[in-house]
Amino acid sequence: MKPNIETELNELETLLGRLRSGELSRAEFRSQSVHYGVYTQRQEDRFFVRVRVPYGTISPAQLWALAVAIEKWGTGVCRFTTRQGVEVHGLSLEQIMPLLQALGEVGLQSHETGGNSIRSVLACPHAGVGLDEPFDVTPYAQLLTRCLMRHPEFQNLPRKMKIGFSCCEEDCARTSVQDLGFQARTNSEGACGFRVLVGGGTGAAPRLGQVLEEFLPAHQIISFTRAF
């Protein structure tokens, strides 16, 4: 297990212990646990966890570990979300840590899947194999994920934020309904870059993102995102 995942699970275990001992109410627990991807449900003794699948890529080993974990500690059912995450519902207090520890062994984690953080970095499911894609957006989604996750500047944002990368005209990553959307483009000189959309959302007041930049050079995505 990676050191950062192990540290975060230890922090979560401490938080669960405070709930178990009565030091925290369920409401107080939830206010802190969502950052670790653990949520209370309407049933008093049930919880659910949200697991991050960066840029929508999950390996066979991770998928197998997920299946085993939800059979052993969950209800045998999980939900794949519209933003390329996984949710496991109906967990008891005692099932949360074993499930997340098993997933952590294969690199799957729940950290920053809740709270005011970078909730997700999506990528088009056809990235790398699309016949008409200008270029593969996967390396850029990977780069942005590595730069933003656990970065101190992005742990307590004014509001949660979702990012998407598309590489096809169909916009399979639905960048128009992300807070920040990158659509792959090449300019007249053949350089790689992105058409940038901002302000999309699917919440109580759904809205389509607006074009902020028609062509952002690909090497500027980190500095642009940090400034945004």
Side-chain angles (χ1 to χ4, degrees):
M1 190 184 299
K2 293 182 179 179
N4 48 28
I5 298 179
E6 188 171 6
T7 298
E8 289 152 8
L9 288 178
N10 288 338
E11 293 171 355
L12 175 59
E13 190 166 28
T14 299
L15 200 58
L16 289 166
R18 295 177 65 196
L19 174 65
R20 193 178 290 111
S21 69
E23 183 181 344
L24 294 178
S25 67
R26 277 175 63 87
E28 290 169 332
F29 170 78
R30 188 183 189 281
S31 69
Q32 300 179 52
S33 68
V34 292
H35 194 71
Y36 297 94
V38 177
Y39 291 75
T40 56
Q41 293 187 204
R42 290 184 179 179
Q43 306 96 317
E44 277 195 23
D45 61 343
R46 296 292 109 178
F47 303 82
F48 80 87
V49 301
R50 183 179 292 140
V51 180
R52 179 183 293 272
V53 182
Y55 39 92
T57 300
I58 188 168
S59 71
Q62 289 174 326
L63 196 58
W64 180 259
L66 177 65
V68 170
I70 62 175
E71 283 288 343
K72 188 171 182 179
W73 293 291
T75 63
V77 176
C78 70
R79 305 178 185 184
F80 288 87
T81 73
T82 56
R83 287 197 164 93
Q84 299 177 343
V86 178
E87 291 183 359
V88 184
H89 290 243
L91 298 171
S92 69
L93 194 62
E94 289 70 29
Q95 291 171 324
I96 295 171
M97 287 306 302
L99 182 137
L100 289 179
Q101 286 167 343
L103 297 182
E105 293 293 340
V106 293
L108 290 174
Q109 56 197 299
S110 59
H111 195 257
E112 293 173 67
T113 58
N116 292 326
S117 59
I118 306 293
R119 290 281 191 92
S120 57
V121 178
L122 296 78
C124 178
H126 305 299
V129 296
L131 296 178
D132 301 319
E133 65 180 5
F135 57 91
D136 184 4
V137 301
T138 307
Y140 298 97
Q142 290 174 330
L143 177 64
L144 208 55
T145 298
R146 289 198 303 269
C147 290
L148 300 182
M149 273 200 70
R150 299 186 178 86
H151 195 294
E153 292 180 4
F154 301 101
Q155 299 304 298
N156 190 25
L157 298 171
R159 195 73 174 90
K160 60 187 178 182
M161 183 175 174
K162 299 102 172 179
I163 301 172
F165 284 83
S166 274
C167 61
C168 59
E169 290 298 326
E170 290 77 15
D171 190 22
C172 292
R174 302 291 185 265
T175 56
S176 61
V177 291
Q178 311 301 335
D179 296 288
L180 181 56
F182 294 101
Q183 300 177 344
R185 297 286 189 274
T186 54
N187 64 12
S188 58
E189 298 174 350
C192 295
F194 296 95
R195 184 174 185 249
V196 183
L197 282 70
V198 298
T202 58
R207 60 198 180 279
L208 294 177
Q210 303 297 307
V211 177
L212 184 63
E213 295 281 351
E214 282 293 347
F215 187 82
L216 176 76
H219 68 273
Q220 294 182 12
I221 61 168
I222 295 175
S223 57
F224 177 90
T225 303
R226 291 186 67 176
F228 177 78

